[in-house]
Amino acid sequence: MEILLFGIAKDIVGRTSMDAMEFNQRPTSVAELKDKLRQAFPEFENLTSLAVAVNSEYAEDSILLKKGDEIAIIPPVSGG
Amino acid sequence: MEILLFGIAKDIVGRTSMDAMEFNQRPTSVAELKDKLRQAFPEFENLTSLAVAVNSEYAEDSILLKKGDEIAIIPPVSGG
Amino acid sequence: MEEPIIEIVANLDTSQVFGELSHPGSGGICVFTGAVREFTNKQQVVSLEFETYEKMALGEMQKIAGEASKKWELNRIVIRHAVGVKQVQDPVVVVGASSAHRDACFEACRFLIDALKKRVPIWKKEHFSDRSVWVSAHP
Amino acid sequence: MEEPIIEIVANLDTSQVFGELSHPGSGGICVFTGAVREFTNKQQVVSLEFETYEKMALGEMQKIAGEASKKWELNRIVIRHAVGVKQVQDPVVVVGASSAHRDACFEACRFLIDALKKRVPIWKKEHFSDRSVWVSAHP
């Protein structure tokens, strides 16, 4: 399960994507993914907000992650 | 004293300008000018509003008309 | 603020206004363009015709720009109106303002067009296939 | 309403938007352009850099256009954002709407830029002479 990284998330992790397999246990939900991300990279705690997109839609914490999903970490947006 | 006519005022009077001397008595104020205009051309009564400009500024009814003033009849504006 | 751009022209060029409002201190630029609509109360418009008392119109546009620059922190203002015969979809008026943040330019832009429509001595005649009407002249 | 024009581009052309929003039923066209400001909190900006999650950004922009066309009677909508490195005064975003009367296009235009800034996955990095900052990332 590939996880795309943008903006400051890319800088914190140091790459443009990572694989969910890199965590000890593969996260099964959006909430779990956020938790694991914050554990592995404590700098995420300092952000104004942290969202996750599943298949290019904003996904609530309760959403379950399925094999083949395209997942993206969405730090605070600042377009415009 | 020349009186400029625009928009529907031009159509009502049938010209682009007239002279204050055309009235029986030369109007001495904006209010008097409006009265004389309505008497001479009753169609002015039917307009939504009627304003007068003196030296290219909107002029209240109480403003006195002096020789050499540039006077304009301002029917309801509709720019934009 | 820099001097506002105030003009009455035969033909409006809508492509120039961004450049005119652009300013190193402006993060927001808001532009309103008024154009000729095909139908008025379901009646097909053939053309519109605008005339103006130019000297006074330019003076009122200057005053409106001055009032806007007192009310809001603006870097640039444009007020430009066309005169003559205009066809459907032709632009007839362009007003705009630029400011550091977007609140000011949106509010100022709305003020500019509202004030222009209320006060600037410009008159519009609608030509239909069977008659012509001075807009707003009668209640 | 016709299909909205939704784009992410390397270079924004501000002169094309009037033509895109023009419509025989539109008497009002409102356009907001966001541009690079020279100073942020009194610090001189060297350049801005925008990146996006393009597939999702286009999807969110489509949704925003759809919401606007439900809220207001609009004839056309444009939402166009630039990516890459931008210099002071460069346009970075253009949003606009056209409608029969001006209330709808003004309100819709404001909604488009507000929603874009809130939801569309685009990130802006400010480059100063001595450092670079992802805007809004930290409280």
Side-chain angles (χ1 to χ4, degrees), chain B residues 7 10-11 48 57-58 70, chain C residues 51 53 63 81 119 134 137:
Chain B
K10 189 182 61 178
D11 287 4
T48 314
E57 303 268 350
Y58 281 107
E70 180 175 295
Chain C
E51 69 168 52
Y53 178 16
K63 283 185 213 165
H81 205 293
R119 293 161 41 182
W134 285 107

Side-chain angles (χ1 to χ4, degrees), chain A residues 4-8 10-11 43 46-49 53 55-58 70 72-80, chain D residues 51-53 55-56 60 63 81 92-93 116-125 134-139:
Chain A
L4 305 175
L5 302 164
F6 295 99
I8 199 169
K10 189 182 64 179
D11 287 4
E43 271 193 71
N46 303 329
L47 300 187
T48 313
S49 66
N55 299 322
S56 67
E57 304 266 351
Y58 281 106
E70 179 175 297
I73 305 302
I74 310 288
V77 301
S78 51
Chain D
E51 68 168 53
T52 185
Y53 178 16
K55 181 168 50 167
M56 180 176 173
E60 288 296 317
K63 282 185 212 164
H81 204 293
V92 299
V93 61
L116 180 147
K117 281 174 172 271
K118 204 178 292 171
R119 291 160 43 182
V120 176
I122 296 175
W123 297 273
K124 172 166 47 193
K125 200 171 198 170
W134 285 106
V135 176
S136 305
H138 295 105

Side-chain angles (χ1 to χ4, degrees), chain B residues 4-12 43 46-49 52-53 55-58 70-80, chain C residues 34 50-56 59-60 63 81 92-93 113 116-125 134-139:
Chain B
L4 305 175
L5 301 164
F6 294 99
I8 198 167
K10 189 182 61 178
D11 287 4
I12 291 173
E43 272 193 71
N46 303 328
L47 300 188
T48 314
S49 66
V52 167
N55 299 323
S56 68
E57 303 268 350
Y58 281 107
E70 180 175 295
I71 295 167
I73 304 302
I74 311 288
V77 302
S78 49
Chain C
F50 289 88
E51 69 168 52
T52 185
Y53 178 16
E54 184 161 340
K55 183 168 48 166
M56 179 177 173
E60 288 295 318
K63 283 185 213 165
H81 205 293
V92 298
V93 61
I113 187 64
L116 180 146
K117 283 175 170 269
K118 204 177 291 171
R119 293 161 41 182
V120 177
I122 296 174
W123 297 272
K124 171 166 47 190
K125 200 171 198 170
W134 285 107
V135 176
S136 305
H138 295 105

Side-chain angles (χ1 to χ4, degrees), chain D residues 9-11 18 24 26 57-58 61 76 80-81 83 86 92-93 95 106 114 124 135-136:
Chain D
V9 296
N11 291 295
F18 175 80
S26 289
L58 293 171
M61 286 154 80
R76 292 192 192 270
R80 181 178 286 124
H81 204 293
V83 289
K86 300 296 155 195
V92 299
V93 61
V95 299
F106 265 104
D114 287 354
K124 172 166 47 193
V135 176
S136 305

